[in-house]
Structure formats: C-alpha cells, structure tokens
Amino acid sequence: MRAAVFVLFAGLCAFALAETHYTIADKAFLGKQKDILRLFEYINQPAYYKDFVQTAKEFEFEGKWDQWTKPEFAKDFFHYYKYDILPQGEVFSVFYPEHLKQAVALFKTFFYAKDYETFYKCAVWARQNVNEGMFVYALSVAIVHSKHTENIILPPIYEVFPQYFFNDEVIHKAQEYKQHYWGTYEHENEIKDETYKGYTIQANYSGWYMNVHPEQYLSYFTEDVGLNSYYYYQNVYMPFWMEKEYLDMDSSYRGEFFFYYHQQLLARYYLERLSNGKGEIPHFEYEYPVETGFYPSLTYANGLKFPSRPNHANLYYHGVDGEQHYNFFGNYSYSYTYVQDYERRLRDALDLGYVYTPEGKQVFLYTKEGLEILGNLVQSNPQSPNERFYGDLQVFARRLLGYAYYPLDQYKVAPSALEQFETSLRDPMFYQLYKKMMYYFYQYQNYMGPYEKEELLFKGVKIEDVEIDRLVTYFDYYYSDIANILSVDEKEFEEDTFQVRARQYRLNHKSFNYKINVVSEKAVDALVKVFIGPKYDEFGREIEMEHNYMNFFELDRFKYTLKSGKNVIERNSLESIYFSKDRTTFLDLYKQVLTAYNGGEQFKYYPENKYYSFPQRLMLPKGEFGGKTYQFYFIVSEYHAPGESQFAQYLVDTEYSMGYPLDRPIEFEHEFFVPNSFVKDVLIYHKNSDKEFETKWSRY
C-alpha cells in the first residue's frame, strides 16, 4: 500500500509525530482492521472463530478463478497446495528456496484478489490450511502492498511470534503458568500489578544464561524487540525477491536504500560497542575458523532448537566436507564455494568498472546511477543486471555462517538465527557479515573520490554555534503480550481470557532539544541534516574524520527556510520523522479498534504509518555515569525540491545521495569542514532511572 513507500527509508524511516497527520478511522476501515488482527491470533494453531471455520470450508479455488484479476498466479499457488507444499507445523524461512517460491505464490494470490472480500476470504482459508510461518509472511507482505488494505496496521511481530524474540525460559514459563496456575496467580510474588489481570514474566536477554563469546555482551541492544522487529519490517516492505511492479515506490532508489540502511545499522551498532568499551566490529574470512560463537537461547514453536555456532567454527568443514548432499539442497550444500565465487565476481566488477548482463553487455558502474546498480547487485534483487552470475551472496553467507545443518527433507528444517529476519540481528555475525558486504560500497565510493569543496559548500550560509540539551540514557521496563505462543482450546480461543506478558529492561533516553545558530546572507530554503558519531575509539584515542565518517548515525533531516541575517533553528528529538515510538500491544490495539467499531472512542491512524521504523528509544547510545563523549555533526545545505514520488518526498531532497555528505572518503579535513557545517562534542550520561534527572539547556 501507499504507506510502504515511507517505511522503506529505513534505519531511518518513520512517520511524522505531528497530530495533524492522523485520520479518524471510518466504519469500513475499522472493519478491515478488526478482520486483519483476528487473522494473527494464536497463529500456531487453527482459529476457532465460527466465521473463520465456515469461510475456510466454503472458499474454493477451482472453478472460481474469476476471483482474481490475474488467475494464473492463484493457479500456481493452488498447484503447490495440491501436490507439494510446506506442511503446517514445520519451520518456514524465506532463505530456503522451496519455501520462498511457495510464499511468493501465496503473496501473489492475495495481491491479485479482485476485491477486499476475496482478499479476506482467501486469507481466512490460508489461515486454516497453510503453514503458519508462510501464512504470516505472505499475508504481511500482501497487506502493506495491496490496494485493498491501505493503511492497515500490522500487529507487532514480536507478539505474533514471541518465540523469535524471547528466550526459552520465558516461553516455557508462560506455558507452565497457563497449564498449572491459570486463575490462581499464587506464584506471582515478585511481579505484581493490580491494573493487569494476567501473568507477568521477567524476561532476560540470552547472554545472562548462556554466553559463549564476549560479543554476546551487547545482547540488550542486539536482541531489543523494537530493533529486531524494525529489521523484519524493512524486509516486509521491500523484500529482496520482489519485482518492481509490486513495489509502491520509485524503485530507482532500491539498491542505494539497501546500502544506506545497512550502513546506518552498522554505525549505530558501533556506537553501542564503544559505549561498552568495545572497538571495531571484528573482521572475518571464510577460509579461517570464525571466532565468534553464538547460542541463541530460542526454540521454534514445533520444539526444534535454533542451531548454535561454536567458537572457532570451521566453515569449510561445515559447508563442504562435513555435510551430506541432497538434490533439493544442491546449491546450499556448496554455500562455501558460492560465497567465494560471488565475492570474487563483485570485486572484479568494482576493479573493472563494469558488470556483465546475461547477454554479455557491459553496464558501467562509475556513473551517477552506479551506486544504485551496485546495491541491486549485492542484494541480488530482480533489478540486478545479472542475478544468476553475481548471485545471492547474502543468502548463501547467512546459510554458511548460521551453522545450521542440512536436513534430510526440504520441509524438515531448523534454520539458524541468521536465516530468519526476525532473529538476524541477535547473532553478532550479522554485523560482521554486513560490515564485510559494506566494503564493496566503500570501495566503490573510494573510486568515485571525495566530494569537491563546491559540492559541500553552501555559499552565504554559516553555522556559528550549536546548543544541545543534557543527554541522558537509562533503562526502563517494557511489556509485551506473549499469549500467542500458547495452545488454547475452542472456548479459550473465543473468550481470550488468559493473559500473559513479558517484562524486559530496554534502553531509552530523555528527549532533548537543540538549537542551531545560522547566519545567512539571503532568504533561502535549506536542507538540515544531523548525525551522531564517535569522538574517541575504545582506547581513548581521537578518531580523525577521514577514518570516521562511515561511523555516523543520522538522527534527523528536514527542510528549513532561512531568513536573511541570524536564524535560530530549534528542534526537539521527538520531531524527527525517522524514528517511531513503542508499539501498542496486540491486545490494546484490538480493544481500541473494537471500541471504535462499536461506536466508542474514535480510532486514529496515520497515512504514513509510524509503526515500523527505527526505535526512537535507541536514538542515542548508552552513556556513562560520568558522561561518555560523542560528537554531533550538523550540515545546512542548499535545498532542492524532491521528485513527485512519495519516497522522494520523504527523502526531503533527492539531489543528494542518501548518506550525503558522509558517504564519500575525506581527503583533506580542512576542505570537508565547510562553514555551513558544524561539529559539537557532547557528553551522554547514564542514570539508573528516568526520575533521577531533569533536562535543561547546557553548553559544553
């Protein structure tokens, strides 16, 4: 749907917080929203709603092909369903080719429904008859891209599949409480809340129970439910497999977007590493044992454990010599060989300056569109000039590094954490892998060279000073509804009276203000961009900008009209449209929709959809009790009106690259630091709670 465009601006993307942007939901919208939410309840078992059961019995494919505008896609899926499809109860992963083909076929069946009624009835049928993971993925992608479900809100994925976000002991305890203690609440001696009629379970991160490597020390960040759901939704809004005709955006930004949001994710991770005394993201080579082990502490709904990786894992043995080879996993059995081949071909393309199409034609890289072409190549999406030759590097690398064993059957799989978008960020090897993949882009930018001073300079404009509030981080409790992981009978399903939630400490920060004092020789529109980056490395040595520019994380960008003379640009961190607040729980969202549907309090929704962007609470890295030094980088540039597409509008200015001006090498710092830019050192403090301090203006 149209909201998809906005969310795609990733590590960045969100919607405006301004109250003027909401819309009051009408009866038709509320009916759709209620329908969709019911489809996601207790997803690991059949639904017992009487209308679901009846609809699933009555819905037919054969002889009713006029229900789809392109019935050939519905026929493709139904052929899978009749003869060869992933059974219910098995684990689904988009990184397994047979699973993906079937999920795409199901998505297109939803997408080409002739009207909402057909879309919904088909979804109800699939809810009862299709593999649970495949259903949730295909339906989620269809909802955000179909014209029939525009602006419909997806429930938080960490409450749909709690087993992907909370450790084994949390899920086990929830099942135990439901089985043995329902209605007594006698066990709840530690966590009591008179306002909540249910069970509350304290949820820790994986490192507290089984930490096989110091890299897992950052689990409070890498396992944050908001961060992991953000990454999942980025891959729902722009799947790597999706053809451009299904994308609700100008797909000419697709490859660059893939690069930028992964680069920003790595930059933010590096900031968090520094706040914990750690340095650069480690480097690895496939030829040598991988030092970083990982124990996920997760279990699939069918009881299979997520595979673990030992320290000093030998990828060659695991990927080549140590596996049995089967026809249906022929390609995956040679993951080690494929990643070597694909990496070499990408490096060759960068050195040669061009790539080959399947017809043998050369496509030059070092042009204005070159970064976009490279992004499509590395992601291996349908807009890649040559998918077959340059290959699915990230798919095979995840398979190899995740250390999952090859199954005896294509439908009896136990994918690793790297092979699920919901859990990818939990594994420290994710960051090492994508750091390795970002080298292709850095090499490309090095060949393109630094920006000329004229490309950075905004003549007649100067930033004289910046004032920033005291910056403070803290941990606070966050509650997630995890009842969906439980098994219930028909009465329990319909009454939905059993409630259980997980309580978890999550990083947060106090909102802050900043003022940018700017002098301009004339009245002119400007683009303002704000970044945060490291000042010192883990040893306390100052990092020069020429070695540091790729480590800056973007906090905000916006258009501002400068007047002639002095200007004071005042901004609050909550105004950034590229971060989103915590999600409303599944249960509360459903209650709000149902209340409005029945004539109660109105329900507000946002056209741009604020629900799937980078977590606002993770905007700042964790500080220290005495203050941890970072630096803010500000630049005020000439504004250019963006194109007409919604995606261009949310980029604010498409004349510049997404990462401008911190996406090219810096040769001479005195030329990079133009008058219309400013660097401000800041201290980030960390407190035990949000009640120990007050925010006030301070100058450092």
Side-chain angles (χ1 to χ4, degrees), residues 24-308:
I24 301 297
D26 59 20
K27 191 82 169 181
F29 178 89
L30 291 168
K32 289 183 180 181
Q33 184 67 71
K34 179 170 67 73
D35 290 343
I36 296 301
L37 289 176
R38 290 203 303 161
L39 288 167
F40 288 93
E41 286 188 275
Y42 295 106
I43 199 65
N44 294 303
Q45 65 177 69
Y48 290 114
Y49 289 122
K50 290 182 174 58
D51 57 324
F52 277 23
V53 174
Q54 189 65 29
T55 298
K57 287 181 179 179
E58 295 175 352
F59 188 80
E60 295 180 353
F61 282 81
E62 292 179 312
K64 301 291 181 65
W65 302 115
D66 60 348
Q67 298 177 102
W68 292 274
T69 57
K70 291 188 177 182
E72 60 269 25
F73 294 110
K75 290 178 181 179
D76 287 344
F77 169 75
F78 195 63
H79 186 270
Y80 279 122
Y81 179 73
K82 286 177 66 177
Y83 299 107
D84 185 24
I85 196 167
L86 179 68
Q88 290 181 307
E90 302 297 346
V91 180
F92 166 79
S93 169
V94 296
F95 291 101
Y96 286 80
E98 293 300 322
H99 299 193
L100 179 59
K101 285 191 293 185
Q102 295 167 18
V104 172
L106 180 57
F107 156 75
K108 291 181 179 179
T109 303
F110 293 142
F111 186 85
Y112 286 113
K114 69 176 183 180
D115 51 32
Y116 173 74
E117 182 180 4
T118 302
F119 180 102
Y120 175 63
K121 288 182 177 179
C122 185
V124 171
W125 175 89
R127 170 69 175 81
Q128 301 292 79
N129 292 282
V130 175
N131 175 271
E132 302 82 3
M134 182 186 298
F135 167 75
V136 168
Y137 180 74
L139 181 63
S140 298
V141 176
I143 287 170
V144 301
H145 291 282
S146 171
K147 63 182 179 181
H148 303 311
T149 48
E150 187 170 354
N151 293 320
I152 292 297
I153 304 165
L154 292 172
I157 188 62
Y158 51 86
E159 295 187 346
V160 177
F161 286 137
Q163 69 272 21
Y164 288 161
F165 297 88
F166 297 98
N167 292 349
D168 294 337
E169 68 272 10
V170 176
I171 303 302
H172 175 78
K173 192 172 289 186
Q175 294 168 336
E176 181 184 11
Y177 287 176
K178 193 262 178 181
Q179 188 71 19
H180 299 294
Y181 299 105
W182 188 2
T184 66
Y185 304 102
E186 294 176 356
H187 65 288
E188 291 223 289
N189 296 321
E190 297 181 7
I191 304 175
K192 291 185 178 180
D193 185 348
E194 299 297 332
T195 65
Y196 179 72
K197 299 301 180 182
Y199 299 84
T200 302
I201 300 171
Q202 179 64 38
N204 287 299
Y205 297 102
S206 65
W208 85 279
Y209 192 80
M210 179 69 72
N211 190 331
V212 300
H213 194 277
E215 286 294 315
Q216 211 166 335
Y217 180 72
L218 289 169
S219 58
Y220 74 88
F221 178 81
T222 60
E223 297 177 13
D224 183 85
V225 294
L227 185 67
N228 281 269
S229 61
Y230 154 76
Y231 187 69
Y232 168 80
Y233 284 119
Q234 296 313 310
N235 289 281
V236 165
Y237 276 89
M238 188 183 281
F240 65 90
W241 50 263
M242 183 173 279
E243 297 93 341
K244 63 181 180 181
E245 57 263 33
Y246 298 101
L247 292 174
D248 238 354
M249 63 169 289
D250 183 351
S251 60
S252 61
Y253 297 103
R254 184 177 192 172
E256 184 182 357
F257 169 75
F258 171 80
F259 159 59
Y260 191 58
Y261 95 84
H262 278 99
Q263 183 270 323
Q264 285 288 283
L265 197 55
L266 292 178
R268 180 61 188 85
Y269 176 62
Y270 179 56
L271 293 178
E272 204 63 35
R273 291 179 65 84
L274 289 175
S275 72
N276 288 274
K278 296 185 178 296
E280 291 284 342
I281 300 170
H283 179 77
F284 78 96
E285 292 292 345
Y286 295 104
E287 296 88 345
Y288 302 101
V290 172
E291 179 188 337
T292 310
F294 179 58
Y295 185 83
S297 299
L298 298 175
T299 301
Y300 285 107
N302 65 357
L304 288 173
K305 291 283 186 181
F306 272 70
S308 60

Side-chain angles (χ1 to χ4, degrees), residues 283 350 434-444:
H283 179 77
L350 289 166
Y434 280 86
K435 176 183 177 180
K436 191 177 182 68
M437 293 173 68
M438 291 301 105
Y439 284 150
Y440 304 126
F441 297 96
Y442 298 147
Q443 184 178 348
Y444 172 86

Side-chain angles (χ1 to χ4, degrees), residues 305-325:
K305 291 283 186 181
F306 272 70
S308 60
R309 182 182 58 252
N311 292 331
H312 307 288
N314 190 315
L315 300 181
Y316 178 81
Y317 176 80
H318 186 77
V320 181
D321 287 345
E323 298 294 350
Q324 303 177 73
H325 297 179

Side-chain angles (χ1 to χ4, degrees), residues 256 259-260 263-264 371 438 441-451 456 529 531 545 548-552 557 633 656-666 672:
E256 184 182 357
F259 159 59
Y260 191 58
Q263 183 270 323
Q264 285 288 283
L371 185 62
M438 291 301 105
F441 297 96
Y442 298 147
Q443 184 178 348
Y444 172 86
Q445 298 287 38
N446 284 335
Y447 279 131
M448 293 295 287
Y451 286 108
L456 301 170
K529 299 185 78 172
F531 299 82
M545 197 66 168
N548 199 23
Y549 65 91
M550 73 293 292
N551 296 322
F552 278 72
R557 64 170 67 188
Y633 172 79
Y656 306 105
S657 63
M658 293 184 190
Y660 172 89
L662 298 175
D663 58 348
R664 293 274 196 93
I666 299 172
F672 176 77

Side-chain angles (χ1 to χ4, degrees), residues 411-684:
Y411 298 146
K412 301 288 185 182
V413 302
S416 69
L418 287 176
E419 293 175 288
Q420 302 286 5
F421 285 125
E422 300 95 323
T423 58
S424 293
L425 302 189
R426 298 171 70 97
D427 189 340
M429 282 308 299
F430 171 88
Y431 306 94
Q432 297 182 35
L433 169 62
Y434 280 86
K435 176 183 177 180
K436 191 177 182 68
M437 293 173 68
M438 291 301 105
Y439 284 150
Y440 304 126
F441 297 96
Y442 298 147
Q443 184 178 348
Y444 172 86
Q445 298 287 38
N446 284 335
Y447 279 131
M448 293 295 287
Y451 286 108
E452 298 291 337
K453 187 172 183 177
E454 291 70 24
E455 296 178 281
L456 301 170
L457 189 64
F458 191 7
K459 292 183 179 179
V461 174
K462 180 181 180 182
I463 301 179
E464 292 192 324
D465 193 18
V466 172
E467 301 175 39
I468 305 176
D469 259 358
R470 182 182 177 89
L471 304 177
V472 184
T473 63
Y474 57 92
F475 284 93
D476 61 0
Y477 282 123
Y478 181 75
Y479 296 87
S480 303
D481 180 5
I482 60 173
N484 263 353
I485 191 57
L486 304 173
S487 296
V488 294
D489 60 26
E490 184 173 354
K491 180 181 178 181
E492 294 166 347
F493 188 100
E494 292 182 348
E495 294 179 355
D496 197 23
T497 53
F498 184 81
Q499 297 180 32
V500 60
R501 63 183 182 177
R503 185 181 76 170
Q504 194 169 42
Y505 261 132
R506 295 178 64 194
L507 182 64
N508 207 342
H509 67 275
K510 191 76 172 176
S511 63
F512 58 92
N513 304 290
Y514 56 88
K515 296 179 181 179
I516 311 172
N517 299 301
V518 181
V519 174
S520 177
E521 293 180 357
K522 60 180 180 180
V524 62
D525 288 336
L527 171 68
V528 182
K529 299 185 78 172
V530 184
F531 299 82
I532 183 174
K535 174 75 172 180
Y536 304 104
D537 66 13
E538 69 275 25
F539 302 110
R541 300 172 302 195
E542 185 172 350
I543 313 173
E544 296 181 354
M545 197 66 168
E546 63 180 296
H547 305 300
N548 199 23
Y549 65 91
M550 73 293 292
N551 296 322
F552 278 72
F553 178 67
E554 185 171 346
L555 300 179
D556 204 359
R557 64 170 67 188
F558 54 93
K559 175 187 175 183
Y560 191 87
T561 301
L562 297 172
K563 63 183 180 181
S564 179
K566 293 187 176 182
N567 299 263
V568 179
I569 303 173
E570 298 189 42
R571 191 82 167 172
N572 184 275
S573 59
L574 296 178
E575 294 180 72
S576 176
I577 67 171
Y578 306 115
F579 296 83
S580 64
K581 289 186 175 181
D582 294 333
R583 294 291 307 275
T584 303
T585 66
F586 190 122
L587 183 61
D588 288 343
L589 177 61
Y590 186 77
K591 286 180 179 178
Q592 292 171 12
V593 171
L594 196 61
T595 298
Y597 184 80
N598 292 327
E601 184 179 351
Q602 294 176 325
F603 182 79
K604 303 172 184 177
Y605 70 90
Y606 296 76
E608 295 84 10
N609 213 329
K610 68 180 180 178
Y611 308 100
Y612 317 114
S613 55
F614 200 93
Q616 189 179 79
R617 60 168 55 237
L618 298 182
M619 181 182 283
L620 297 180
K622 182 171 69 71
E624 293 180 353
F625 180 78
K628 176 78 173 179
T629 303
Y630 293 91
Q631 52 186 340
F632 274 45
Y633 172 79
F634 301 83
I635 186 165
V636 179
S637 306
E638 183 179 0
Y639 171 78
H640 309 86
E644 295 182 358
S645 73
Q646 282 184 294
F647 189 61
Q649 294 289 324
Y650 286 108
L651 291 177
V652 183
D653 188 329
T654 52
E655 182 71 18
Y656 306 105
S657 63
M658 293 184 190
Y660 172 89
L662 298 175
D663 58 348
R664 293 274 196 93
I666 299 172
E667 187 172 11
F668 301 110
E669 289 193 4
H670 69 274
E671 292 188 354
F672 176 77
F673 290 118
V674 289
N676 49 292
S677 68
F678 196 90
V679 176
K680 180 76 172 180
D681 289 356
V682 297
L683 289 174
I684 301 181

